[in-house]
Amino acid sequence: MAIRTKEIQWELACAGWADGVNRFWPGGSFCGLKEEYPSLDALMLGDDHKTLDVYLWNHEEYTFQKSSSVKHHTNVYNVVPGDFTHTGKLDLLVMSGEPFTLRSLEMHVYPALTQGGFDNVMSLELSTLAQPIPLDLDGDMKIDLLGMTVDSQQHTPNAPFQAWKNVWNGSELNSPLFELTDAPFQGTQCDIANPHSNAVVDLDGDCLADVFLVCEEGQGKKSFQIWINNKDDGFTLAQKGSLPSGTQSISFADMDRDGTIDMVFATCSTVSPSGLGSNCRINIAYNQQLPLCVTGEASVSKGIRKCRTPDNLCIADPNFKFDLSSSSSSSQSDAFVSFPISDLFPSGPAPSLLVNDRTFSPPIPLYITLGDANMDGFPDMLIIVSSVGSGSSSGRIPKLVYSVPCSKTAGVAGCDKNGNGRRGWQVATKGVEQLDSVMDARGVSFVDLDEDGTLDIMVQRSGNDKKGNMLFVQNNFYYDAFFLKAIVLNGACNNGWCYTDDGQKYHPFGVSYSGASYKYTVLDTVGSRSAAQVAQLPQTSYHSLQSPYSFFGLGRTNNYIENLFVGSTVHLKDHYINMEGVIPNSKVVILPSANEREAWKRELFLRPGEWIPWVTVTVVVGMAIMAIIVLVLHVNEKREDELERRRSSHRINFDAL
């Protein structure tokens, strides 16, 4: 169902099919299931915690339609869609275990059949309760896994990391899918925390994905490690440090549009049994890296690089760092900004922040969801706050928090008393009545529901009020700004057509992978250049609910995207490409090459809009008018030429007499 009024800008879009559903995983944009309209499909976990249902988006009916189901034998704790068998179809990695006696995670892969559905399950080596993350460890663009086993955690305290290396060979009859080996990490390793916020994201600026790990230090303390990707030389430890007390889940995005990936997380003094945190703060740790060169500035001075030029953004900065030390409420550091939740709600009592979903066992940690809802180029936030106190009976309301410029106006969260700072934050108050009416939210995510180029909101609910477990709120605001969507594929089927056993062909458009990176430069309407960085699927653990593609808000611009750098994880000399003059409001599919001799392939899908027929009519009418003008001028010129010819034919040449 849909509510469409002029007053309500965020609309209820489609929720009737979600009764009895507990969890939701987005899985597969540009998936090729309906090639005429690439769409984002869904994977649902039933209320028995064992049944996985695949729903395909139907653009004409504007609803999800059930396609197939998988019944797992134990309780499911996480699902990672990915092309583990390199067939161009999404397989399912299921992490599960027996309830109440959970000591380790069972892992199984359901390979996708090319004709639809899933093949027989394939079992993997057990993992510890710290969920492994998918990444490409050896540069072949096949999905490996990084985590720990019970044996490695107990017997190798200085090197507990284990790699589930993808060794699948489809031409062999009984080929294993993964081979358990030591991870290629050079340095002192830590015990991965459970839960954690591990991510595969470029942090040193070279467009090659690095690894961010959250470590368990004991006595409730946590730390982090950043491992830099050196391609064939493995990963080296670049930075480590302690996380502030009470740190919750960590998210990653370019918060200040400077071309580097930053960290965003909440800290709370206490967390109640209902999952609500009290005295919570929102923290942003800005990545300190080489900036973008300003006009006329030299990029290198005395042999030392000072900045990145717009046509050379993928340069590693070995001196990058995060500074998490300035956490005092009385100070604002340029590199670390921390402000209490109460600053977002100055007119009422300080609300609590929902940091754990206790309706699921074990509880699911909730991230601060990041996405550019208004397409201005700066990520906004989605959080869930308690309307009263911190008790279990209080309402849990999703809130959209906009990123705004710091100004001289007092009272903007994230800015100092003088109105200075990188970015400020304000809760949306206009057109969000549908969000404010929700009192039982337990999860919230950004999702482009109908692939129309705007980020909608999906709210997961407890369903106590008989209104269903899922609510979609459609973004119906008009923004005078542009967007771009991009997805890097994994090289399946040599980045061309894939074929089924009966000869049918399909594009491997749904097989994105963790680790792709995007950097771009764009000019605004006054000619000012800025750079931004976006990661593709950096996190998959603990129901992180991130889309398989990357969404860019470009802000207002009257030009093409100057430079779009696209990085992959292939271990080649050039692991990235530079695309110039990319058209905004489009979708880009990048098919990287696995060797130096072949060029990367690129496909661009323009977004059809309601204005296209009017543009066509305008162009046709304009061309017709110009053709008439040219024809009239041509006829007049031809008549003048004929008259001139006749006059010259009657002249007498006296010199010839």
Side-chain angles (χ1 to χ4, degrees):
M1 56 181 175
I3 299 175
R4 297 184 182 275
T5 65
K6 293 183 179 179
E7 292 80 13
I8 298 177
Q9 299 294 330
W10 290 88
E11 303 175 353
L12 176 62
C14 180
W17 50 269
D19 292 342
V21 174
N22 280 308
R23 298 304 299 178
F24 174 100
W25 283 275
S29 176
F30 306 103
C31 61
L33 296 169
K34 300 183 290 294
E35 291 180 16
E36 71 278 4
Y37 193 84
S39 59
L40 187 68
D41 305 315
L43 181 66
M44 312 291 295
L45 176 62
D47 54 5
D48 62 353
H49 289 200
K50 296 181 180 180
T51 303
L52 294 168
D53 297 318
V54 177
Y55 286 83
L56 305 182
W57 177 253
N58 187 312
H59 171 61
E60 289 75 20
E61 299 293 334
Y62 207 78
T63 184
F64 286 99
Q65 295 179 344
K66 187 175 179 179
S67 172
S68 59
S69 297
V70 172
K71 184 65 176 287
H72 200 62
H73 61 283
T74 55
N75 281 16
V76 175
Y77 298 112
N78 192 38
V79 177
V80 180
D83 185 15
F84 298 95
T85 56
H86 227 57
T87 60
K89 292 284 188 178
L90 281 178
D91 311 315
L92 300 181
L93 170 63
V94 178
M95 303 178 188
S96 62
E98 293 290 348
F100 309 115
T101 60
L102 196 61
R103 296 292 182 271
S104 59
L105 285 178
E106 301 175 5
M107 294 196 295
H108 301 83
V109 171
Y110 289 88
L113 296 172
T114 54
Q115 300 83 3
F118 297 95
D119 203 348
N120 296 326
V121 65
M122 305 174 68
S123 299
L124 310 182
E125 294 286 342
L126 299 180
S127 164
T128 61
L129 296 181
Q131 297 179 7
I133 59 173
L135 75 166
D136 179 15
L137 286 170
D138 50 5
D140 59 359
M141 300 194 69
K142 293 182 179 179
I143 302 177
D144 310 307
L145 299 175
L146 175 67
M148 299 187 304
T149 64
V150 176
D151 184 69
S152 68
Q153 186 181 34
Q154 293 177 349
H155 298 98
T156 53
N158 293 326
F161 297 168
Q162 292 290 290
W164 285 258
K165 185 179 179 181
N166 193 323
V167 294
W168 174 256
N169 187 345
S171 61
E172 295 183 4
L173 183 60
N174 296 315
S175 173
L177 183 56
F178 288 101
E179 179 182 275
L180 192 64
T181 64
D182 293 332
F185 284 69
Q186 304 170 12
T188 303
Q189 303 171 12
C190 66
D191 280 343
I192 299 176
N194 176 42
H196 60 70
S197 306
N198 296 351
V200 183
V201 60
D202 173 31
L203 295 175
D204 65 346
D206 61 353
C207 300
L208 182 63
D210 309 307
V211 176
F212 179 92
L213 299 177
V214 176
C215 307
E216 185 65 57
E217 298 295 335
Q219 299 180 350
K221 297 180 180 180
K222 293 183 179 181
S223 63
F224 70 92
Q225 290 186 346
I226 297 176
W227 296 82
I228 297 301
N229 192 341
N230 299 309
K231 296 185 179 178
D232 291 334
D233 294 330
F235 294 78
T236 55
L237 183 61
Q239 185 180 353
K240 61 180 180 179
S242 298
L243 292 171
S245 176
T247 294
Q248 307 302 317
S249 298
I250 303 173
S251 304
F252 296 88
D254 186 355
M255 303 303 293
D256 56 346
R257 201 177 182 181
D258 66 345
T260 63
I261 296 293
D262 309 310
M263 297 167 50
V264 181
F265 58 95
T267 53
C268 301
S269 59
T270 58
V271 179
S272 70
S274 62
L276 290 168
S278 59
N279 299 321
C280 295
R281 306 177 67 89
I282 292 180
N283 309 274
I284 305 174
Y286 290 104
N287 194 338
Q288 301 177 63
Q289 274 192 40
L290 291 171
L292 179 69
C293 294
V294 298
T295 304
E297 181 182 5
S299 61
V300 179
S301 175
K302 298 180 180 180
I304 300 176
R305 183 168 292 279
K306 298 173 57 180
C307 56
R308 296 185 175 100
T309 57
D311 59 348
N312 201 7
L313 295 181
C314 293
I315 298 175
D317 182 3
N319 299 317
F320 84 98
K321 66 176 180 177
F322 290 96
D323 184 3
L324 280 65
S325 59
S326 302
S327 57
S328 172
S329 60
S330 61
S331 64
Q332 285 285 0
S333 170
D334 185 58
F336 186 84
V337 175
S338 178
F339 60 90
I341 292 288
S342 57
D343 285 1
L344 296 173
F345 307 91
S347 60
S352 300
L353 179 68
L354 186 65
V355 297
N356 287 314
D357 177 11
R358 299 280 177 156
T359 64
F360 199 86
S361 180
I364 299 172
L366 299 181
Y367 296 79
I368 294 177
T369 304
L370 304 175
D372 193 358
N374 55 5
M375 298 191 297
D376 63 350
F378 296 92
D380 308 305
M381 298 182 187
L382 278 176
I383 58 176
I384 300 176
V385 299
S386 171
S387 57
V388 217
S390 57
S392 59
S393 60
S394 58
R396 292 163 172 78
I397 307 172
K399 292 291 184 179
L400 173 63
V401 184
Y402 282 128
S403 173
V404 297
C406 284
S407 64
K408 300 304 179 182
T409 305
V412 178
C415 306
D416 62 19
K417 296 180 180 180
N418 298 320
N420 299 317
R422 299 203 186 192
R423 296 297 292 178
W425 304 93
Q426 289 181 340
V427 176
T429 57
K430 179 183 177 182
V432 291
E433 291 83 357
Q434 288 293 335
L435 283 178
D436 291 340
S437 67
V438 177
M439 301 297 291
D440 59 348
R442 60 189 180 91
V444 63
S445 302
F446 283 115
V447 56
D448 187 357
L449 187 61
D450 196 38
E451 300 293 331
D452 60 357
T454 56
L455 288 182
D456 310 307
I457 294 178
M458 183 193 71
V459 182
Q460 296 180 89
R461 312 176 66 176
S462 59
N464 297 330
D465 55 2
K466 307 298 184 182
K467 293 185 179 179
N469 293 59
M470 208 72 65
L471 175 74
F472 286 98
V473 184
Q474 184 178 352
N475 186 345
N476 198 35
F477 281 105
Y478 171 74
Y479 300 107
D480 186 16
F482 294 96
F483 76 92
L484 182 73
K485 286 185 178 180
I487 184 172
V488 175
L489 305 186
N490 68 342
C493 308
N494 294 320
N495 283 327
W497 288 97
C498 301
Y499 292 88
T500 62
D501 294 337
D502 56 0
Q504 297 183 4
K505 62 180 182 179
Y506 58 91
H507 272 308
F509 277 178
V511 293
S512 67
Y513 71 107
S514 299
S517 182
Y518 308 91
K519 280 189 175 185
Y520 68 91
T521 57
V522 67
L523 294 172
D524 61 17
T525 54
V526 298
S528 178
R529 179 182 287 107
S530 61
Q533 184 172 10
V534 183
Q536 176 175 291
L537 201 60
Q539 294 171 307
T540 57
S541 301
Y542 303 95
H543 305 199
S544 56
L545 296 182
Q546 297 181 350
S547 62
Y549 54 76
S550 294
F551 182 93
F552 308 65
L554 301 176
R556 299 186 63 189
T557 178
N558 52 12
N559 204 344
Y560 297 108
I561 300 175
E562 285 187 310
N563 296 279
L564 173 62
F565 286 84
V566 182
S568 71
T569 58
V570 294
H571 288 182
L572 302 176
K573 179 182 179 181
D574 295 323
H575 58 273
Y576 62 88
I577 59 170
N578 178 15
M579 301 172 60
E580 297 182 354
V582 178
I583 302 173
N585 281 18
S586 61
K587 303 174 184 177
V588 182
V589 180
I590 300 98
L591 303 93
S593 172
N595 60 72
E596 301 280 3
R597 295 184 299 274
E598 296 183 7
W600 291 28
K601 301 176 183 177
R602 289 150 277 187
E603 298 186 24
L604 186 140
F605 297 84
L606 292 177
R607 171 179 174 263
E610 296 178 356
W611 46 267
I612 287 183
W614 297 107
V615 172
T616 304
V617 170
T618 302
V619 171
V620 171
V621 171
M623 292 181 64
I625 293 174
M626 293 176 63
I628 292 173
I629 294 174
V630 170
L631 181 62
V632 170
L633 294 175
H634 175 72
V635 171
N636 290 338
E637 182 68 21
K638 190 173 182 180
R639 185 183 296 114
E640 290 291 334
D641 290 344
E642 181 64 20
L643 292 175
E644 181 67 24
R645 186 187 65 79
R646 291 179 180 180
R647 284 194 296 265
S648 55
S649 65
H650 289 82
R651 293 175 181 171
I652 299 175
N653 189 350
F654 292 96
D655 293 336
L657 297 177

